[in-house]
Amino acid sequence: MFDVEKGSVEEAIMILQNLGLKVNEYEKTNSMIPVGNYKELLEFTIAVARKTSEITDTIDEMMEDIEARL
């Protein structure tokens, strides 16, 4: 395993991959997922996506600043 910066896009991708693996394992042993669990998973995924979007916007702004200085 390797270290990733907290709040980075890499961390968000790792979290989503881990969620995907957990959902796949759950699917093998259960035919249905409780609504509460699904809602929690969905809310968490949306939060990660929003954070990733914020980071992407920050990177875009930094790149624009660099381009403007050159």
Side-chain angles (χ1 to χ4, degrees):
M1 191 149 173
F2 57 94
D3 293 331
V4 294
E5 184 178 335
K6 190 152 181 72
S8 68
V9 173
E10 290 84 7
E11 182 189 32
I13 291 169
M14 279 184 39
I15 291 169
L16 290 174
Q17 287 175 334
N18 288 337
L19 283 172
L21 292 172
K22 288 180 182 180
V23 168
N24 287 342
E25 281 301 312
Y26 185 88
E27 189 176 37
K28 290 177 186 176
T29 58
N30 299 282
S31 60
M32 295 190 318
I33 184 169
V35 173
N37 291 4
Y38 181 77
K39 183 179 175 187
E40 182 180 335
L41 177 63
L42 182 60
E43 288 171 350
F44 182 76
T45 303
I46 290 169
V48 170
R50 284 184 179 148
K51 186 66 175 172
T52 302
S53 178
E54 290 170 14
I55 292 168
T56 302
D57 290 345
T58 301
I59 291 170
D60 290 344
E61 290 169 7
M62 291 170 67
M63 292 303 291
E64 288 171 6
D65 289 345
I66 292 169
E67 288 174 1
R69 291 180 186 176
L70 297 177

